[in-house]
Amino acid sequence: MSLLIKNGEIVTAGGRYFADIYCEDEQITAIGKDLDFDADEVIDATGKFVFPGFIDPHVHIYLPFMGTFSKDDYASASRAALVGGTTTLIEMCCPSRAEEPLEALQLWNSKAEGLSACDYTFHMGVTRFDELAESQLRTIVADYGITSFKVFLAYKGAFGIDDAELYATLKLAKELDVVVTAHCENADLVAQTQAALVAEGKVGPEWHEPSRPVTVEAEGCHHFMTFAEMTGAEVYVVHTSCQPAVEAIVAARGRGVKATIETVIPYLVLDSSYTERPDFEGAKYVMSPPIRAKEHQDFLWKKLADGTIDTVGTDHAPFDFSTQKHMGHPDPNKAVNADFSPRGEAADFTLIPNGVPSVEDRVNLLYTYGVTTGKIDLQTFVATASTNAAKRFGLFPRKGDISVGADADLVIYDPAYTGIISAETHLMNTDYSGFEGMEIKGRPACVTVRGQIAAKEGQFTGTLGRGKLLKR
Ligand code: URP
Ligand code: ZN
Ligand code: ZN
Ligand code: ZN
């Protein structure tokens, strides 16, 4: 299968220029003006941008969490990702403390293998650290090409680890040259504040943000940075939501800590007023760290523009509103159990499964609310949504670039398209969209995965099961 893309404006993290691209055997084999190859398929990209395939460095697809399971599988998630321009997924493999890491990785991979339409890899969750876990982590790095770990400073009693385990994890990571990604919130402060609010009868979704204030996230970041400084490990803070958190990481960079900063699309286009919506609608926007006040959103855009924030992911964690989110409903007549039968008593915001489905919408929202408003330029858009993640996680230049020898993962982007986001039309397997009714300007006209056309104008045209586990 060969593919020729004519007359597009190529935009990478490093520059923009007009040229044709020829792809053969899954890779880009030539880039130049007026290429004259006999291709199986020719795409006219006049008036369109050609971007490297976008990489989502933070998704949850298979996720047993808060007494339920996230709603997507690799069929629905990879279709949605591809239609939205994302061609590589990096999923968090999140075992419970009782599960062995190797078995967990094999379980997570079994959900993707043979089903995913796009390429994927995993961050290996370290949710327990002992001798057995350590030896298996060594195997996972060496044999599966998984070169990043994930730790949770939050969710004590579930995914969270203690400080001795955190120290051991970072020491191992330093030895193996592995990046450690972390969810940074002080778990004890969250638990104490939650209990105090619930005791005062503050039980609705609007109390989720006050239960995990920005100082709690900043403390988590400072805490993680201290461990990074002590061990010399390279670190990556996932879903950074606010100014004090970013500042804690920047301060550590000043002390020599090699830290990458990720934010996620809900923080850039939503604010805490969404969680105050009536009729429990605020539950749709409950994720952790919480979606913050508008001033933090403005700060995040500035720090994306000046290069302080490196990547934009999603933290895609899809739960249905009508059932799963209702596990935390404060009205006894509306609260449900994990099997969605009536709970018979009131619940509270601490029982709302955390997450906002967004793997389909990230690229279009970042383009619309970042590039078309002038908040970020096209290079920053490509760098933060693709190239920087590829570099950080050992995928570059195979992914995240348009160059000869790179995988032919390409997004031919139509800046003239306008549309409205809605759960009625999205491909994610959830009954709501957190971005319902929001306008988008621009979307992928055509998306390729290793040279095969996998999406066209909002329709999935790829092959389930063609996606490969990327050894890094
Ligand atoms: O609210 C969130 N973030 N849900 C998914 C789990 C996590 O913390 O990444
Ligand atoms: Zn998290
Ligand atoms: Zn601390
Ligand atoms: Zn996450």
Side-chain angles (χ1 to χ4, degrees):
M1 165 87 192
S2 58
L3 180 69
L4 182 61
I5 299 164
K6 302 273 302 169
N7 310 317
E9 183 176 6
I10 296 173
V11 183
T12 66
R16 52 195 286 191
Y17 56 100
F18 287 88
D20 301 341
I21 302 173
Y22 182 66
C23 313
E24 209 172 10
D25 296 332
E26 305 196 350
Q27 291 184 339
I28 297 169
T29 53
I31 302 171
K33 292 256 183 231
D34 306 317
L35 292 184
D36 187 18
F37 289 96
D38 231 348
D40 297 326
E41 186 122 22
V42 180
I43 298 171
D44 181 13
T46 304
K48 305 205 169 62
F49 296 120
V50 186
F51 299 127
F54 293 97
I55 299 168
D56 193 333
H58 186 166
V59 298
H60 303 270
I61 295 165
Y62 174 65
L63 180 66
F65 186 50
M66 295 181 78
T68 187
F69 289 85
S70 55
K71 276 295 304 285
D72 273 312
D73 62 11
Y74 262 89
S76 57
S78 65
R79 280 194 298 250
L82 284 165
V83 160
T86 294
T87 54
T88 299
L89 295 172
I90 313 185
E91 188 186 7
M92 300 291 175
C93 172
C94 298
S96 69
R97 271 185 90 82
E99 278 175 289
E100 297 312 330
L102 202 49
E103 248 172 66
L105 181 65
Q106 285 159 353
L107 172 65
W108 256 258
N109 190 43
S110 75
K111 307 283 179 188
E113 204 170 23
L115 193 56
S116 183
C118 66
D119 291 345
Y120 58 90
T121 175
F122 300 94
H123 301 299
M124 187 62 219
V126 181
T127 51
R128 191 189 84 236
F129 196 96
D130 55 20
E131 242 171 75
L132 180 60
E134 178 183 340
S135 76
Q136 295 196 357
L137 288 169
R138 287 178 185 277
T139 304
I140 285 166
V141 174
D143 295 355
Y144 292 78
I146 305 288
T147 56
S148 46
F149 294 157
K150 168 72 184 288
V151 295
F152 291 89
L153 276 61
Y155 309 131
K156 226 173 200 170
F159 301 134
I161 53 172
D162 66 29
D163 280 350
E165 292 173 307
L166 178 60
Y167 184 66
T169 303
L170 286 169
K171 283 217 320 199
L172 180 66
K174 168 75 180 165
E175 182 199 323
L176 301 179
D177 202 12
V178 159
V179 184
V180 181
T181 73
H183 176 139
C184 295
E185 288 180 296
N186 184 300
D188 289 307
L189 282 172
V190 171
Q192 297 300 319
T193 316
Q194 282 179 335
L197 288 168
V198 170
E200 288 171 38
K202 294 171 174 168
V203 290
E206 69 277 21
W207 294 103
H208 175 74
E209 198 282 334
S211 79
R212 327 169 78 102
V214 295
T215 35
V216 165
E217 184 183 343
E219 198 292 313
C221 291
H222 177 261
H223 195 98
F224 185 51
M225 290 302 118
T226 306
F227 282 68
E229 197 175 344
M230 294 289 289
T231 56
E234 293 195 25
V235 293
Y236 177 105
V237 179
V238 301
H239 52 38
T240 311
S241 76
C242 60
Q243 181 165 356
V246 171
E247 286 172 349
I249 305 162
V250 169
R253 282 177 174 169
R255 302 192 299 274
V257 174
K258 287 191 203 123
T260 304
I261 306 179
E262 173 194 274
T263 191
V264 294
I265 199 69
Y267 302 147
L268 291 169
V269 298
L270 304 171
D271 61 64
S272 51
S273 67
Y274 283 81
T275 58
E276 293 158 16
R277 289 189 166 185
D279 300 325
F280 196 58
E281 227 200 297
K284 293 176 179 175
Y285 306 95
V286 167
M287 63 180 288
S288 297
I291 295 168
R292 305 294 186 187
K294 179 77 168 60
E295 66 199 76
H296 294 286
Q297 184 191 107
D298 297 340
F299 178 84
L300 294 176
W301 280 114
K302 284 199 194 97
K303 293 295 141 181
L304 256 189
D306 75 10
T308 303
I309 296 176
D310 302 286
T311 62
V312 179
T314 53
D315 198 10
H316 177 72
F319 297 100
D320 274 341
F321 175 64
S322 63
T323 51
Q324 293 169 302
K325 293 275 185 181
H326 278 63
M327 291 164 68
H329 204 299
D331 180 341
N333 297 313
K334 292 184 177 157
V336 297
N337 289 318
D339 59 3
F340 315 131
S341 60
R343 184 180 147 94
E345 56 182 309
D348 63 65
F349 68 86
T350 66
L351 300 175
I352 299 169
N354 286 203
V356 177
S358 35
V359 73
E360 188 166 341
D361 303 310
R362 175 185 63 127
V363 169
N364 293 334
L365 286 169
L366 190 63
Y367 182 83
T368 301
Y369 295 94
V371 177
T372 75
T373 59
K375 288 193 177 96
I376 57 170
D377 61 26
L378 273 174
Q379 266 73 50
T380 304
F381 166 68
V382 174
T384 57
S386 178
T387 313
N388 292 350
K391 287 183 172 166
R392 197 75 210 83
F393 295 120
L395 293 167
F396 188 84
R398 180 175 172 193
K399 306 290 189 189
D401 197 18
I402 297 178
S403 57
V404 171
D407 279 357
D409 294 359
L410 297 163
V411 177
I412 295 134
Y413 204 78
D414 178 7
Y417 175 83
T418 59
I420 303 286
I421 295 178
S422 175
E424 307 256 298
T425 49
H426 75 194
L427 299 185
M428 298 180 289
N429 191 31
T430 49
D431 65 358
Y432 83 98
S433 168
F435 314 105
E436 187 70 37
M438 288 178 77
E439 193 188 12
I440 51 164
K441 295 178 184 161
R443 78 163 176 189
C446 182
V447 179
T448 70
V449 175
R450 285 182 276 104
Q452 189 202 64
I453 297 174
K456 251 186 180 168
E457 317 278 0
Q459 302 294 316
F460 173 70
T461 61
T463 308
L464 291 179
R466 188 165 171 270
K468 285 187 187 156
L469 172 65
L470 298 165
K471 284 205 172 186
R472 298 185 272 136

